[in-house]
Amino acid sequence: MRQSVFGRLAGYEDVNDAERLCRDPAMRWVVGHQAIASSAASASQMGRFETKWLSRPENLIALADLPGQWIDKVHRLRPPKVIVLDMDSSESPTYGDQEGSAYNGHFGCTCYHPLFVFNQLGDVERCALRPGNVHSADGWRVVLEPVIARYRGIVKRLYFRGDAAFANPEIYEFLESEGMGYAIRLPANSILQSKIGYLLKRPVGRPAHDLRRYFASFSYQAQSWRKPRRVVAKVEWHSGELYPRVGFIVTNLARPAERVVAFYNQRGTAEQWIREGKGAIKWTRLSCRTFAANAVRLQLHALAYNLGNFMRTLAMPKAAEPWSLTSLREKLIKIGAKVVSHGRYVTFQMAEVAVSRQMFNEILALIARLRAPPALA
């Protein structure tokens, strides 16, 4: 398991990479135990472990729970007062006759359509692999409910954000029953636009060169809703554009309309984290034939992503704050070193090109603080 996760974090997303990694001194020490003296798992052993053993239904369920268990351990060190959950879907292109792959018109390719839930720190709370032709919100409860159950009674303030794909009355009712605040983008229609008709009229006089932004808040009840809900509207008049840009958000938050829009706009960071998962961890590399094996690969990629994000948020000094996961991998994890073997220990001599001695010492000190204090005798 360690070899599967650390290998992906280091940029080796294929099982075939184990043919060389099994002899790598750093990987052998990461795996530990017998691997230190001999070698880590070979490509064939890794293949059987991931595609046959982990793909069993009971093991896949346990694997999907691991990101949440890891996050809970982190929260015991740094208890959160507020949790904001961002749900979003993405695409993982497929090639050939892969089980569950299908054409998705939104993304314009043959793909899988995974679903992710992030918290405000960028950790993957939970994810699930889905066939390529399902709706963006398909299976939302299976992914979201276990996350909320973990925080129930522990975190006082829990929020949810989602794009227009999650504008579903079932989701509203579920979140309201859990006492959660939410802000979800609402698709525009003629009734919503009629509510803000006074803001859609072009301002009198010469067009302004600067951006003009207006907000509105009103009560609205769609035919499929059991009760009216608050809707916040944002209208932007841009220079050189004939028509305004209009957006609607359904919410149960009591804060002013401008603050509701600002809160919702922060969900754009979820798209950034998905791009990092694609670029740094390569979690779109789902090249197995069976759907279950690819579901395992996605979960392993998510664990590798979380491990890197924990490193970035908990164990990196101030100087490394601007680093992306790709920078973290290329400057700290996937680097060359001279290996000096002794009878009882191994020394890794690394250059100070990317990470100075001082920064490395600061990283080690931050990691040491994360360790639990020794138990009293």
Side-chain angles (χ1 to χ4, degrees):
M1 188 70 174
R2 288 185 178 185
Q3 187 171 339
S4 294
V5 174
F6 279 89
R8 285 168 168 81
L9 179 59
Y12 302 101
E13 66 275 1
D14 285 328
V15 173
N16 293 338
D17 294 322
E19 203 63 48
R20 178 165 52 88
L21 286 178
C22 67
R23 299 186 297 272
D24 183 271
M27 180 57 71
R28 286 160 51 194
W29 276 87
V30 165
V31 175
H33 303 293
Q34 298 179 356
I36 297 175
S38 55
S39 67
S42 65
S44 60
Q45 291 172 322
M46 290 294 295
R48 288 193 298 270
F49 173 70
E50 293 186 8
T51 61
K52 292 186 177 180
W53 194 79
L54 286 182
S55 61
R56 296 176 182 174
E58 64 275 15
N59 292 333
L60 185 53
I61 292 173
L63 193 61
D65 291 335
L66 271 183
Q69 294 174 13
W70 285 14
I71 292 172
D72 288 343
K73 290 183 179 180
V74 170
H75 287 172
R76 282 195 282 270
L77 298 171
R78 185 182 56 186
K81 297 181 180 178
V82 178
I83 291 292
V84 181
L85 301 177
D86 292 310
M87 179 173 272
D88 205 353
S89 65
S90 181
E91 90 287 358
S92 295
T94 55
Y95 306 94
D97 187 20
Q98 290 183 263
E99 185 181 8
S101 66
Y103 182 79
N104 187 296
H106 176 74
F107 297 111
C109 65
T110 302
C111 61
Y112 290 126
H113 195 184
L115 185 63
F116 298 90
V117 177
F118 295 89
N119 61 30
Q120 72 270 28
L121 297 176
D123 306 322
V124 175
E125 292 277 355
R126 199 174 184 89
C127 64
L129 188 66
R130 305 176 300 173
N133 58 353
V134 301
H135 186 268
S136 295
D138 186 77
W140 64 268
R141 185 183 291 270
V142 176
V143 178
L144 183 61
E145 193 166 17
V147 178
I148 295 176
R150 287 185 17 247
Y151 291 117
R152 191 179 294 133
I154 298 176
V155 178
K156 293 183 178 180
R157 291 185 290 170
L158 196 59
Y159 300 95
F160 175 87
R161 294 184 295 223
D163 61 18
F166 303 96
N168 185 323
E170 293 183 3
I171 297 180
Y172 308 152
E173 293 170 4
F174 171 75
L175 296 173
E176 289 163 357
S177 67
E178 294 289 342
M180 291 181 59
Y182 62 83
I184 302 174
R185 190 173 184 87
L186 194 63
N189 59 48
S190 58
I191 299 177
L192 290 173
Q193 290 180 339
S194 67
K195 294 275 190 179
I196 58 168
Y198 64 97
L199 295 177
L200 301 181
K201 296 179 181 179
R202 190 169 187 82
V204 179
R206 290 181 176 273
H209 294 289
D210 56 338
L211 171 65
R212 293 188 178 183
R213 184 180 291 115
Y214 304 94
F215 300 92
S217 177
F218 54 89
S219 179
Y220 168 75
Q221 181 176 1
Q223 292 183 352
S224 59
W225 299 3
R226 297 180 181 179
K227 65 177 183 179
R229 292 181 172 88
R230 184 189 183 198
V231 173
V232 170
K234 180 184 72 170
V235 179
E236 291 182 342
W237 289 92
H238 290 257
S239 177
E241 296 184 5
L242 185 60
Y243 298 103
R245 302 180 188 180
V246 182
F248 298 96
I249 299 170
V250 58
T251 182
N252 62 349
L253 301 177
R255 60 188 69 176
E258 187 172 358
R259 290 183 57 197
V260 171
V261 172
F263 171 74
Y264 173 80
N265 288 342
Q266 292 174 2
R267 70 161 295 278
T269 54
E271 299 176 0
Q272 172 189 335
W273 296 323
I274 288 177
R275 285 194 294 270
E276 283 198 321
K278 291 179 177 180
I281 309 298
K282 301 294 192 301
W283 67 26
T284 58
R285 194 66 176 268
L286 308 177
S287 52
C288 295
R289 186 185 62 82
T290 66
F291 185 83
N294 284 318
V296 167
R297 288 179 62 85
L298 178 64
Q299 298 297 337
L300 293 172
H301 282 301
L303 290 172
Y305 169 89
N306 275 356
L307 188 61
N309 199 53
F310 294 156
M311 184 74 184
R312 179 170 57 178
T313 57
L314 297 173
M316 297 300 291
K318 290 286 186 181
E321 280 187 356
W323 286 13
S324 65
L325 278 186
T326 302
S327 299
L328 181 70
R329 184 194 67 195
E330 299 297 333
K331 294 181 179 181
L332 185 63
I333 298 172
K334 191 179 181 181
I335 56 175
K338 181 180 179 181
V339 182
V340 180
S341 298
H342 298 273
R344 295 184 180 180
Y345 59 91
V346 174
T347 303
F348 295 90
Q349 298 178 352
M350 296 176 290
E352 294 189 60
V353 176
V355 178
S356 65
R357 182 188 298 268
Q358 179 182 353
M359 178 181 285
F360 200 83
N361 287 334
E362 291 177 2
I363 294 172
L364 293 178
L366 289 171
I367 293 175
R369 292 179 189 174
L370 298 176
R371 294 192 177 99
L376 298 176

